[in-house]
């Protein structure tokens, strides 16, 4: 049976067993059909005789054998759940807690909610973020699109004296993480960590993600000066404190940056450049599924977990 719920409260009332969680995952990923081998998609697949597992969290995982490779797999193979000793029921609860929090949840909070170590909670959250990078929202933006860039890393004036960075005034991103984003009005958001905010870096990204002849609204940053060659480009000049120019404004994308920074400063406190994109993916996923029910967002995460195995060694490498 599928696990159906409208809120965290309903999920807790259901209190699904480990076996119900396994069955639900199989239904979401395989849809009741014979699975395709993760090792050789062209291979024939055989279902093995069911065996009850033993251990602290017993559940019946249907095992399958890939004919061409001779390897065995289950529904968790090549997903974020592969080789995890944490029961699926705790994984499911973790996502139901993590998903609705607009500004995220720390690993210290999660460990108390689901009864695991902080190290395990950190790993769980990293893999849940990894699953949120989905191609479902990769369509190019169109109509009216706001673009902007921001820098993560705190103001130099707020740093301790021994950590202040010289020559970091104005738009300098020394010791900061540059992020570029675009949001279609009443539509989806895209955002990504970029090496810098130069014209050579941003222009190809804009052309790849926004439909030609769309209307783009931006500020006066020089990287956008040639966009009128491909788009209907309108600007506001923040340098002279102009924030609205007819229909031109960047208020929507700047509100996203406000959420990004409050998420980092208020919940996570610090993020590294190495993991920054995963935190950005978390916020993008949450925005683009804002009209989804809790159940729909939860099932989308399960479906998006396929092909995204992430090991601890990969994270700390």
């Amino acid at each position: 049976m599928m696990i159906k719920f409208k809120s965290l409260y309903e999920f807790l009332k259901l209190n699904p067993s480990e076996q119900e969680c396994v069955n639900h995952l199989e239904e979401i990923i395989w849809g009741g059909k014979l699975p395709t081998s993760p090792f050789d998609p062209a291979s024939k697949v055989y279902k093995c005789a069911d065996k009850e597992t033993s251990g602290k969290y017993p559940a019946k995982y249907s095992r399958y054998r890939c004919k061409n490779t001779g390897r065995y797999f289950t529904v968790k193979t090549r997903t974020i759940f592969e080789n995890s000793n944490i029961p699926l029921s705790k994984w499911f609860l973790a996502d139901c807690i993590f998903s609705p929090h607009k500004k995220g949840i720390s690993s210290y909070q999660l460990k108390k909610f689901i009864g695991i170590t902080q190290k395990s909670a950190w790993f769980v959250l990293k893999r849940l973020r990894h699953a949120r990078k989905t191609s479902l929202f990769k369509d190019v933006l169109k109509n009216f699109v706001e673009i902007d860039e921001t820098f993560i890393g705190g103001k130099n004036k707020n740093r301790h004296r021994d950590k202040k960075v010289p020559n970091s005034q104005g738009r300098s991103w020394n010791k900061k993480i540059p992020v570029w984003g675009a949001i279609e009005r009443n539509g989806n958001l895209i955002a990504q960590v970029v090496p810098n905010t130069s014209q050579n870096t941003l222009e190809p990204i804009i052309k790849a993600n926004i439909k030609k002849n769309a209307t783009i609204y931006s500020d006066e940053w020089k990287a956008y000066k040639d966009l009128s060659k491909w788009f209907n480009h309108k600007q506001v000049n923040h340098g002279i404190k102009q924030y609205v120019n007819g229909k031109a404004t960047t208020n929507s994308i700047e509100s996203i940056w406000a959420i990004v920074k409050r998420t980092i400063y208020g919940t996570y406190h610090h993020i590294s450049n190495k993991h920054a994109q995963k935190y950005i993916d978390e916020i993008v996923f949450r925005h683009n599924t804002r009209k989804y029910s809790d159940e729909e967002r939860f099932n989308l995460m399960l479906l998006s977990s396929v092909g995204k195995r992430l090991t601890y060694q990969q994270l700390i490498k």
Side-chain angles (χ1 to χ4, degrees), residues 231-247:
F231 307 97
N232 179 25
H233 183 209
K234 305 293 182 183
Q235 290 179 295
V236 289
N237 192 335
H238 291 166
I240 60 172
K241 298 189 183 300
Q242 181 191 56
Y243 301 103
V244 179
N245 180 17
K247 292 184 178 180

Side-chain angles (χ1 to χ4, degrees), residues 17-30 35-39 53-54 56-64 71-92 123-124 127 130-131 301-311:
S17 66
E18 185 68 4
Q19 189 62 61
E20 288 174 319
C21 292
V22 172
N23 295 343
H24 183 83
L25 185 61
E26 290 181 346
E27 183 64 32
I28 291 295
I29 293 179
W30 294 337
T36 301
S37 169
F39 311 116
T53 61
S54 60
K56 190 175 180 181
Y57 305 105
K60 187 171 66 176
Y61 281 89
S62 296
R63 287 207 317 159
Y64 297 83
R71 298 173 68 181
Y72 295 89
F73 64 94
T74 70
V75 70
K76 294 205 298 183
T77 304
R78 298 282 175 89
T79 72
I80 62 171
F81 312 110
E82 184 171 357
N83 287 347
S84 173
N85 291 323
I86 299 171
L88 268 182
S89 54
K90 287 196 174 187
W91 273 99
F92 283 16
F123 193 18
V124 165
R127 285 191 280 185
H130 189 56
M301 182 280 298
L302 295 181
L303 193 59
S304 299
S305 71
V306 178
K308 293 180 181 172
R309 189 190 176 195
L310 183 65
T311 66

Side-chain angles (χ1 to χ4, degrees), residues 204-295:
I205 298 174
I206 294 168
K207 290 162 70 174
N209 288 282
I210 302 177
K211 189 175 181 179
K212 190 177 179 181
N213 298 323
T215 298
I216 289 182
Y217 301 124
S218 75
D219 59 18
E220 72 280 11
W221 177 232
K222 61 184 180 181
Y224 306 135
K225 63 184 178 66
D226 293 332
L227 290 184
S228 57
K229 295 179 182 178
W230 306 280
F231 307 97
N232 179 25
H233 183 209
K234 305 293 182 183
Q235 290 179 295
V236 289
N237 192 335
H238 291 166
I240 60 172
K241 298 189 183 300
Q242 181 191 56
Y243 301 103
V244 179
N245 180 17
K247 292 184 178 180
T249 180
T250 57
N251 289 346
S252 295
I253 187 65
E254 286 174 6
S255 69
I256 297 296
W257 299 148
I259 293 172
V260 169
K261 293 182 179 183
R262 281 160 178 75
T263 298
I264 294 169
Y265 304 154
T267 303
Y268 303 128
H269 305 305
H270 168 78
I271 65 172
S272 66
N273 203 329
K274 176 182 177 182
H275 298 300
Q277 187 61 55
K278 285 185 171 59
Y279 290 93
I280 297 299
D281 292 339
E282 170 193 338
I283 292 165
V284 169
F285 183 90
R286 194 172 282 122
H287 174 84
N288 290 344
T289 59
R290 64 197 181 281
K291 296 180 181 178
Y292 285 43
S293 67
D294 288 348
E295 181 188 340

Side-chain angles (χ1 to χ4, degrees), residues 177-193:
I177 303 170
V179 183
W180 176 85
I183 187 170
E184 183 178 330
R185 289 187 177 173
N186 300 314
N188 286 340
L189 165 72
I190 58 174
Q192 64 184 83
V193 174

Side-chain angles (χ1 to χ4, degrees), residues 84-215:
S84 173
N85 291 323
I86 299 171
L88 268 182
S89 54
K90 287 196 174 187
W91 273 99
F92 283 16
L93 178 58
D95 190 75
C96 288
I97 294 170
F98 169 65
S99 194
H101 279 73
K102 192 168 186 178
K103 296 182 178 66
I105 182 173
S106 73
S107 57
Y108 281 92
Q109 289 175 299
L110 186 64
K111 77 162 189 172
K112 295 178 182 178
F113 287 139
I114 65 174
I116 57 178
T117 66
Q118 185 272 329
K119 181 179 177 181
S120 294
W122 180 84
F123 193 18
V124 165
L125 288 173
K126 281 288 189 288
R127 285 191 280 185
L128 289 176
R129 292 187 190 102
H130 189 56
R132 277 160 165 71
K133 190 172 182 64
T134 171
S135 60
L136 184 64
F137 308 114
K138 283 296 184 181
D139 290 343
V140 293
L141 306 182
K142 54 187 184 297
N143 300 324
F144 303 99
V145 181
E146 297 179 21
I147 63 174
D148 195 26
E149 68 293 328
T150 192
F151 301 90
I152 301 170
K155 294 181 179 179
N156 199 44
K157 68 179 183 180
N158 294 334
R159 294 189 174 109
H160 290 289
R161 183 171 59 183
D162 61 339
K163 294 182 180 178
K164 288 187 184 294
V165 181
N167 303 317
S168 64
Q169 300 92 334
R171 294 184 63 93
S172 171
W173 52 277
N174 193 8
K175 298 295 183 182
K176 292 188 179 183
I177 303 170
V179 183
W180 176 85
I183 187 170
E184 183 178 330
R185 289 187 177 173
N186 300 314
N188 286 340
L189 165 72
I190 58 174
Q192 64 184 83
V193 174
V194 291
N196 56 64
T197 58
S198 69
Q199 183 176 359
N200 288 339
T201 296
L202 296 186
E203 206 169 79
I205 298 174
I206 294 168
K207 290 162 70 174
N209 288 282
I210 302 177
K211 189 175 181 179
K212 190 177 179 181
N213 298 323
T215 298

